[in-house]
Amino acid sequence: MLFGACYYPEHWVKERWETDARMMKEAGFNVVRMAEFAWIKMEPAEGEFDFEWLDEAIALFSAYGIRTILGTPTAGPPKWLLDKHPDIYQRDYQGHVRGFGTRRSYCSNNATYRDYTRAIVTEMAKRYGSHPDVIGWQIDNELGAIDTARCYCDSCKTAFVGWLKRKYATLDRLNEEWGTIFSSQLFTAWEQVHLPAYSVHQGHNPGLVLDFRRFSSDSVRGYQALQIGILREHCPPAQPITTNLMGSFNDLDYYDLSADLDLVSLDIYPIMKKVPEERAFRTGINHDAMRGLKGMNYWVLEHQSGTPCTNTFSPTPKPGELRRWTYQSVARGADAIVYFRWRTLTYALEEYWHGILQHHGKPGRKYREVRQVGEELARLAPLLADTTVRSKAAIVKCFHNEWAFEIQPHASGFVYKDHQADYYRYFHDRNIQVDVISPDSAGFDGYDLLIVPNLMMSKEATVRAIHDYVRAGGTVVMDFRAGAKEWNNRMLPEILPGPFAGLLGIEVDDYGIIEPEHPVGLAFAEAFGNAGLAGQAATWYDVIEPIGASTVVRFTNDYFAGCPAVTRNEYGAGRAYYIGTELDRSTLNALFDGISAEAGLKPVLPSLPQGVEAVRREGDGRREVIFVINHNECEVSFAIEDGCVDLLTGRTIRGVTSLAANGILALERSNESISQ
Ligand SMILES: [Zn+2]
């Protein structure tokens, strides 16, 4: 278990470094992240490299048992470089140059910038590739962040045309796939192909826009691959290569990006989530999505440690909150906790982005809290080694469908990831572990329940995998817009839900949006003992005709009153559910209580109070640690039937126990209960 903070020696006088290293050691730190914005210090003028200050810092921290993860500095190119080559700057969709002043203003397709990237990364890799105190590499910083995933410059236009030629081979094929005959947009030469830049309102061709998003994601992936290639050439496997991803950020296909990395890393700021009672599940889904990218544990390279603020403040973490969120990260599969940042900077854009230490640099309540976590994690670490979260349920998240829904949200205000989070919340509230996985996952066989929201576009392999999964006994839940489009974002000329009609045992010929001013009611049919239970539909309705499926929930008004809103179909040895609307919370809970019970899913611990999260990390044999986290602002009580030992206190727990606000249990089953 790595435990530490982001530390920037270039921000502080050298005389201070040792004080910081000593305080970190006393807090149980064993790692710092450095250098990801220090290009100007490492290459103050073109071709003149200076690493002595970094050598010195790495050595000093090493003397205190703290090793270093190095960031490549390409998110912040120096002014001398950009002044010399202003064509490196991104252009926004109105053609404006995105000039110097913050960060990330480079175009990842710019050949000149790739040359400079190659030079600085090679110098770093050669110097630190065999350094015993460098234990990993972070590429760049938050790739694509602050709206920099897509650039509309000439380099990108040229690269986009090349990308399209590789994809479609002929212009005729591109014209056909996008349907450019509409509005006389047919291309008669490759040079005519344009970027989806500023134009008259209504938006561009959906096929063009989706392909541009795919191209933009591929461009960043290619830029990352350039750096990975250099690092692999000079660095041993003992220095894993990662980059810090951002949870629900969706401008890049994180499955693609992480496929090229040794491991995934996450930046997480739970208290920036606006609604306090939603923070636990909204942060939880980000952790689970990161674990799902490679199906393995991950690092947190920026963990909230204070009040985030660029210009306006997010809430300040109250006493006990940093510890609580840290344990949520560890529970859900983080094997490194690196707080952002060590000490709050006294100047520049992040002077209010608070770290563990306030501006004055003396130990305060956050330091004491983090030190407590350090002591605890040092004890837990051996028990957590080679453990991870294993789930019997999974939610399929697809970036391409998410992009398609961003391009055309269908209903005003509809957001793909919020809809996913609605399903996720059920599992989080019930403490049933759920993975978040790619539609391209090797197979769904290990799961008893698969939720596939909004699978509007799907590759043939995914269609086949879902059918195979259900045929072999799995339970799938799909919902509205499934099968509506081809992979290139044009409509599939088939009755809905297209390739899933047989699986789901339904046909949908008619559909529409549900406006908030004209509410539509729901009522359960006989299923799951909920007969007559009433609820509300929102956002969308499908007028479903069952072709073999049975009705689970019906609409109760409008012209489709009495028609199914939720159906269930037996298929092979399994079951396929279809939800033709957005369900209110209580209907969704009642439905999924039934589906989960039918699929044999069980909570980590039964009957926990609301706001108490339980997650199991398990290893080989019967080794496991169950984390119980009280997100409430008050003490709660609950019963633990099996005898357990709380590894944090050494206390044996059986029967009713209480847990204070922000309280944590790290439970290991006692020998007595294991032998039963
Ligand atoms: Zn560009």
Side-chain angles (χ1 to χ4, degrees):
M1 176 72 63
L2 296 173
F3 187 65
C6 302
Y7 188 74
Y8 305 105
E10 70 273 22
H11 291 172
W12 308 102
V13 294
K14 202 183 285 184
E15 293 70 32
R16 170 74 193 197
W17 295 358
E18 186 148 15
T19 303
D20 290 327
R22 179 179 46 74
M23 286 170 68
M24 287 186 193
K25 181 182 164 67
E26 287 167 6
F29 284 17
N30 55 23
V31 69
V32 285
R33 183 187 71 168
M34 289 186 189
E36 77 274 9
F37 281 104
W39 194 337
I40 189 67
K41 283 284 285 183
M42 294 187 279
E43 191 181 5
E46 183 165 358
E48 292 176 21
F49 295 97
D50 174 10
F51 292 106
E52 284 179 18
W53 65 276
L54 188 54
D55 294 348
E56 210 176 317
I58 292 170
L60 186 142
F61 280 85
S62 171
Y64 284 84
I66 296 164
R67 299 200 289 169
T68 299
I69 296 166
L70 280 180
T72 67
T74 46
K79 188 73 162 41
W80 61 255
L81 194 166
L82 291 162
D83 278 356
K84 187 173 176 188
H85 301 285
D87 59 314
I88 287 171
Y89 285 119
Q90 286 202 354
R91 284 183 183 265
D92 74 3
Y93 84 115
Q94 295 198 45
H96 298 142
V97 173
R98 309 187 77 187
F100 196 83
T102 58
R103 54 176 64 172
R104 306 213 51 75
S105 52
Y106 68 86
C107 168
S108 61
N109 281 313
N110 183 281
T112 309
Y113 194 62
R114 288 189 172 212
D115 288 342
Y116 280 96
T117 296
R118 211 171 275 118
I120 184 70
V121 175
T122 301
E123 288 297 320
M124 287 185 79
K126 279 158 66 176
R127 193 168 190 97
Y128 298 109
S130 55
H131 198 299
D133 295 317
V134 173
I135 57 165
W137 292 89
Q138 172 189 302
I139 288 176
D140 202 280
N141 185 78
E142 297 186 340
L143 289 163
I146 44 176
D147 193 25
T148 59
R150 293 185 291 281
C151 169
Y152 298 77
C153 77
D154 290 343
S155 300
C156 287
K157 159 103 194 302
T158 305
F160 184 46
V161 171
W163 186 92
L164 292 168
K165 282 180 178 171
R166 288 192 295 280
K167 176 169 181 179
Y168 293 109
T170 69
L171 199 53
D172 286 348
R173 172 94 196 285
L174 180 147
N175 279 317
E176 173 64 23
E177 286 291 330
W178 288 359
T180 52
I181 193 65
F182 177 78
S183 284
S184 201
Q185 293 172 352
L186 199 80
F187 302 116
T188 55
W190 280 106
E191 308 81 69
Q192 296 168 3
V193 176
H194 59 95
L195 303 180
Y198 182 71
S199 181
V200 178
H201 92 300
Q202 280 197 329
H204 287 277
N205 181 304
L208 160 66
V209 184
L210 180 60
D211 269 343
F212 184 63
R213 294 196 70 149
R214 288 168 168 162
F215 154 78
S216 300
S217 181
D218 283 356
S219 298
V220 175
R221 183 186 187 181
Y223 180 71
Q224 179 189 256
L226 165 73
Q227 298 201 26
I228 291 174
I230 297 165
L231 293 172
R232 288 223 198 286
E233 194 180 320
H234 298 282
C235 309
Q239 293 181 347
I241 300 166
T242 186
T243 194
N244 50 339
L245 307 178
M246 296 167 286
S248 61
F249 176 82
N250 69 354
D251 283 350
L252 304 173
D253 184 332
Y254 274 175
Y255 296 117
D256 284 349
L257 246 66
S258 51
D260 300 336
L261 297 166
D262 295 323
L263 60 86
V264 163
S265 294
L266 168 66
D267 291 353
I268 195 94
Y269 294 87
I271 305 171
M272 289 179 78
K273 312 258 179 239
K274 287 221 176 325
V275 184
E277 53 272 23
E278 294 187 353
R279 285 177 188 149
F281 84 85
R282 292 199 182 279
T283 308
I285 193 172
N286 288 344
H287 285 293
D288 292 346
M290 294 299 104
R291 198 182 63 249
L293 291 175
K294 288 181 82 70
M296 58 188 271
N297 289 358
Y298 53 93
W299 288 355
V300 174
L301 282 180
E302 289 188 19
H303 201 293
Q304 180 165 4
S305 69
T307 314
C309 169
T310 305
N311 297 310
T312 53
F313 278 57
S314 290
T316 294
K318 298 171 186 173
E321 277 200 273
L322 295 182
R323 177 173 176 265
R324 165 158 63 90
W325 293 117
T326 303
Y327 275 106
Q328 189 196 41
S329 301
V330 171
R332 294 197 171 271
D335 281 342
I337 299 291
V338 179
Y339 291 105
F340 188 87
R341 52 187 290 157
W342 169 244
R343 177 177 170 184
T344 315
L345 194 54
T346 54
Y347 49 83
L349 188 66
E350 290 188 349
E351 63 190 8
Y352 282 136
W353 202 286
H354 292 74
I356 296 166
L357 304 184
Q358 299 289 76
H359 295 102
H360 52 66
K362 295 185 173 58
R365 72 163 170 95
K366 289 181 289 181
Y367 175 79
R368 289 190 292 275
E369 190 169 322
V370 163
R371 188 175 60 192
Q372 179 190 346
V373 177
E375 289 164 3
E376 292 168 347
L377 284 183
R379 277 185 280 129
L380 289 180
L383 297 157
L384 294 175
D386 301 318
T387 63
T388 190
V389 178
R390 294 180 189 151
S391 310
K392 299 305 283 180
I395 296 173
V396 171
K397 173 191 168 87
C398 171
F399 287 96
H400 299 256
N401 276 291
E402 184 166 11
W403 295 337
F405 275 97
E406 283 194 346
I407 296 163
Q408 296 168 301
H410 288 62
S412 174
F414 179 74
V415 178
Y416 174 94
K417 69 180 167 193
D418 288 346
H419 184 60
Q420 292 233 327
D422 278 346
Y423 290 122
Y424 179 86
R425 184 176 194 169
Y426 167 80
F427 295 96
H428 187 270
D429 286 356
R430 295 289 192 267
N431 287 306
I432 296 171
Q433 288 176 178
V434 61
D435 290 341
V436 179
I437 61 170
S438 163
D440 298 329
S441 294
F444 306 126
D445 299 352
Y447 297 107
D448 294 329
L449 177 61
L450 192 65
I451 320 294
V452 193
N454 299 136
L455 194 70
M456 186 161 64
M457 309 179 300
S458 44
K459 297 176 190 164
E460 275 182 37
T462 305
V463 174
R464 210 177 313 119
I466 292 173
H467 279 78
D468 290 347
Y469 164 76
V470 179
R471 196 178 293 116
T475 299
V476 72
V477 178
M478 303 189 73
D479 66 5
F480 55 96
R481 306 315 287 149
K485 283 193 163 190
E486 297 179 8
W487 189 245
N488 285 328
N489 212 11
R490 51 182 282 158
M491 305 311 301
L492 195 68
E494 290 179 21
I495 194 143
L496 292 168
F500 301 106
L503 171 78
L504 295 160
I506 58 168
E507 288 186 353
V508 175
D509 177 47
D510 193 6
Y511 49 74
I513 57 165
I514 297 176
E515 295 170 296
E517 314 82 72
H518 301 103
V520 173
L522 296 168
F524 263 88
E526 299 303 317
F528 304 132
N530 291 320
L533 188 70
Q536 289 290 320
T539 308
W540 188 266
Y541 66 87
D542 280 328
V543 183
I544 300 170
E545 185 183 343
I547 311 288
S550 58
T551 299
V552 179
V553 178
R554 295 182 194 284
F555 292 112
T556 58
N557 57 302
D558 216 314
Y559 73 92
F560 42 92
C563 291
V566 180
T567 57
R568 177 187 192 277
N569 193 43
E570 306 273 347
Y571 183 84
R575 292 161 293 274
Y577 287 86
Y578 183 81
I579 303 173
T581 187
E582 275 205 303
L583 304 173
D584 65 286
R585 176 58 41 197
S586 61
T587 305
L588 191 150
N589 284 349
L591 176 67
F592 275 85
D593 279 345
I595 294 174
S596 299
E598 187 182 62
L601 298 177
K602 291 196 169 57
V604 175
L605 291 172
S607 309
L608 290 176
Q610 195 170 2
V612 178
E613 178 174 346
V615 190
R616 176 189 289 114
R617 276 184 68 150
E618 56 190 304
D620 295 339
R622 301 186 64 172
R623 198 158 56 92
E624 65 176 37
V625 177
I626 295 175
F627 290 92
V628 184
I629 304 165
N630 182 10
H631 292 287
N632 297 290
E633 290 189 352
C634 59
E635 182 177 289
V636 293
S637 307
F638 48 87
I640 297 206
E641 299 303 333
D642 293 340
C644 292
V645 175
D646 175 20
L647 297 165
L648 298 174
T649 59
R651 195 161 54 102
T652 299
I653 294 178
R654 183 195 291 278
V656 175
T657 189
S658 62
L659 191 59
N662 290 316
I664 311 290
L665 299 173
L667 300 176
E668 187 181 42
R669 290 193 199 280
S670 64
N671 290 334
E672 184 193 346
S673 70
I674 285 174
S675 64
Q676 281 171 358

PDB file of all heavy atoms in Angstrom, residues 89-91 107-109 151-156, ligand 1:
ATOM      1  N   TYR A  89      -0.472  25.714 -30.041  1.00  0.00           N
ATOM      2  CA  TYR A  89      -1.697  26.022 -29.288  1.00  0.00           C
ATOM      3  C   TYR A  89      -2.922  25.370 -29.927  1.00  0.00           C
ATOM      4  O   TYR A  89      -3.064  25.339 -31.154  1.00  0.00           O
ATOM      5  CB  TYR A  89      -1.950  27.533 -29.256  1.00  0.00           C
ATOM      6  CG  TYR A  89      -1.046  28.303 -28.323  1.00  0.00           C
ATOM      7  CD1 TYR A  89      -0.194  29.283 -28.817  1.00  0.00           C
ATOM      8  CD2 TYR A  89      -1.069  28.067 -26.950  1.00  0.00           C
ATOM      9  CE1 TYR A  89       0.627  30.013 -27.971  1.00  0.00           C
ATOM     10  CE2 TYR A  89      -0.246  28.795 -26.094  1.00  0.00           C
ATOM     11  CZ  TYR A  89       0.604  29.765 -26.609  1.00  0.00           C
ATOM     12  OH  TYR A  89       1.407  30.475 -25.773  1.00  0.00           O
ATOM     13  N   GLN A  90      -3.806  24.906 -29.080  1.00  0.00           N
ATOM     14  CA  GLN A  90      -5.099  24.409 -29.562  1.00  0.00           C
ATOM     15  C   GLN A  90      -5.918  25.556 -30.155  1.00  0.00           C
ATOM     16  O   GLN A  90      -5.740  26.714 -29.796  1.00  0.00           O
ATOM     17  CB  GLN A  90      -5.902  23.826 -28.393  1.00  0.00           C
ATOM     18  CG  GLN A  90      -5.418  22.502 -27.894  1.00  0.00           C
ATOM     19  CD  GLN A  90      -6.512  21.746 -27.153  1.00  0.00           C
ATOM     20  OE1 GLN A  90      -7.606  22.253 -26.926  1.00  0.00           O
ATOM     21  NE2 GLN A  90      -6.215  20.519 -26.792  1.00  0.00           N
ATOM     22  N   ARG A  91      -6.845  25.166 -31.024  1.00  0.00           N
ATOM     23  CA  ARG A  91      -7.891  26.109 -31.447  1.00  0.00           C
ATOM     24  C   ARG A  91      -9.240  25.561 -31.007  1.00  0.00           C
ATOM     25  O   ARG A  91      -9.481  24.358 -31.097  1.00  0.00           O
ATOM     26  CB  ARG A  91      -7.867  26.300 -32.960  1.00  0.00           C
ATOM     27  CG  ARG A  91      -6.720  27.205 -33.388  1.00  0.00           C
ATOM     28  CD  ARG A  91      -6.721  27.481 -34.875  1.00  0.00           C
ATOM     29  NE  ARG A  91      -5.558  28.300 -35.223  1.00  0.00           N
ATOM     30  CZ  ARG A  91      -5.594  29.632 -35.330  1.00  0.00           C
ATOM     31  NH1 ARG A  91      -6.716  30.288 -35.127  1.00  0.00           N
ATOM     32  NH2 ARG A  91      -4.506  30.309 -35.652  1.00  0.00           N
ATOM     33  N   CYS A 107      -1.845  21.136 -28.691  1.00  0.00           N
ATOM     34  CA  CYS A 107      -2.568  20.208 -29.560  1.00  0.00           C
ATOM     35  C   CYS A 107      -1.802  18.891 -29.595  1.00  0.00           C
ATOM     36  O   CYS A 107      -0.618  18.870 -29.938  1.00  0.00           O
ATOM     37  CB  CYS A 107      -2.684  20.781 -30.967  1.00  0.00           C
ATOM     38  SG  CYS A 107      -3.242  19.559 -32.174  1.00  0.00           S
ATOM     39  N   SER A 108      -2.480  17.792 -29.266  1.00  0.00           N
ATOM     40  CA  SER A 108      -1.775  16.506 -29.179  1.00  0.00           C
ATOM     41  C   SER A 108      -1.397  15.967 -30.557  1.00  0.00           C
ATOM     42  O   SER A 108      -0.606  15.038 -30.663  1.00  0.00           O
ATOM     43  CB  SER A 108      -2.623  15.479 -28.417  1.00  0.00           C
ATOM     44  OG  SER A 108      -3.829  15.259 -29.104  1.00  0.00           O
ATOM     45  N   ASN A 109      -1.955  16.546 -31.623  1.00  0.00           N
ATOM     46  CA  ASN A 109      -1.588  16.109 -32.978  1.00  0.00           C
ATOM     47  C   ASN A 109      -0.472  16.953 -33.592  1.00  0.00           C
ATOM     48  O   ASN A 109      -0.058  16.689 -34.725  1.00  0.00           O
ATOM     49  CB  ASN A 109      -2.814  16.167 -33.901  1.00  0.00           C
ATOM     50  CG  ASN A 109      -3.723  14.969 -33.694  1.00  0.00           C
ATOM     51  OD1 ASN A 109      -3.252  13.831 -33.645  1.00  0.00           O
ATOM     52  ND2 ASN A 109      -5.011  15.213 -33.541  1.00  0.00           N
ATOM     53  N   CYS A 151      -9.594  19.448 -30.373  1.00  0.00           N
ATOM     54  CA  CYS A 151      -8.942  20.635 -30.921  1.00  0.00           C
ATOM     55  C   CYS A 151      -9.350  20.771 -32.386  1.00  0.00           C
ATOM     56  O   CYS A 151      -9.563  19.776 -33.073  1.00  0.00           O
ATOM     57  CB  CYS A 151      -7.430  20.474 -30.774  1.00  0.00           C
ATOM     58  SG  CYS A 151      -6.470  21.698 -31.678  1.00  0.00           S
ATOM     59  N   TYR A 152      -9.453  22.005 -32.834  1.00  0.00           N
ATOM     60  CA  TYR A 152      -9.982  22.271 -34.182  1.00  0.00           C
ATOM     61  C   TYR A 152      -8.947  22.986 -35.048  1.00  0.00           C
ATOM     62  O   TYR A 152      -9.287  23.816 -35.886  1.00  0.00           O
ATOM     63  CB  TYR A 152     -11.271  23.105 -34.072  1.00  0.00           C
ATOM     64  CG  TYR A 152     -12.375  22.396 -33.314  1.00  0.00           C
ATOM     65  CD1 TYR A 152     -12.350  22.326 -31.919  1.00  0.00           C
ATOM     66  CD2 TYR A 152     -13.426  21.780 -33.981  1.00  0.00           C
ATOM     67  CE1 TYR A 152     -13.359  21.670 -31.218  1.00  0.00           C
ATOM     68  CE2 TYR A 152     -14.436  21.125 -33.284  1.00  0.00           C
ATOM     69  CZ  TYR A 152     -14.393  21.071 -31.909  1.00  0.00           C
ATOM     70  OH  TYR A 152     -15.385  20.420 -31.221  1.00  0.00           O
ATOM     71  N   CYS A 153      -7.667  22.659 -34.848  1.00  0.00           N
ATOM     72  CA  CYS A 153      -6.610  23.337 -35.606  1.00  0.00           C
ATOM     73  C   CYS A 153      -6.359  22.616 -36.938  1.00  0.00           C
ATOM     74  O   CYS A 153      -6.930  21.563 -37.212  1.00  0.00           O
ATOM     75  CB  CYS A 153      -5.331  23.411 -34.775  1.00  0.00           C
ATOM     76  SG  CYS A 153      -4.428  21.854 -34.700  1.00  0.00           S
ATOM     77  N   ASP A 154      -5.475  23.170 -37.734  1.00  0.00           N
ATOM     78  CA  ASP A 154      -5.189  22.584 -39.046  1.00  0.00           C
ATOM     79  C   ASP A 154      -4.529  21.207 -38.922  1.00  0.00           C
ATOM     80  O   ASP A 154      -4.786  20.310 -39.727  1.00  0.00           O
ATOM     81  CB  ASP A 154      -4.289  23.530 -39.859  1.00  0.00           C
ATOM     82  CG  ASP A 154      -5.041  24.786 -40.285  1.00  0.00           C
ATOM     83  OD1 ASP A 154      -6.294  24.769 -40.228  1.00  0.00           O
ATOM     84  OD2 ASP A 154      -4.388  25.778 -40.649  1.00  0.00           O
ATOM     85  N   SER A 155      -3.654  21.048 -37.916  1.00  0.00           N
ATOM     86  CA  SER A 155      -3.030  19.728 -37.716  1.00  0.00           C
ATOM     87  C   SER A 155      -4.109  18.680 -37.459  1.00  0.00           C
ATOM     88  O   SER A 155      -4.032  17.547 -37.950  1.00  0.00           O
ATOM     89  CB  SER A 155      -2.079  19.744 -36.510  1.00  0.00           C
ATOM     90  OG  SER A 155      -1.061  20.669 -36.691  1.00  0.00           O
ATOM     91  N   CYS A 156      -5.107  19.063 -36.690  1.00  0.00           N
ATOM     92  CA  CYS A 156      -6.175  18.110 -36.362  1.00  0.00           C
ATOM     93  C   CYS A 156      -7.040  17.824 -37.587  1.00  0.00           C
ATOM     94  O   CYS A 156      -7.482  16.697 -37.794  1.00  0.00           O
ATOM     95  CB  CYS A 156      -7.016  18.633 -35.201  1.00  0.00           C
ATOM     96  SG  CYS A 156      -6.128  18.514 -33.631  1.00  0.00           S
TER      97      CYS A 156
HETATM   98 ZN    ZN B   1      -5.147  20.483 -33.027  1.00  0.00          ZN
END
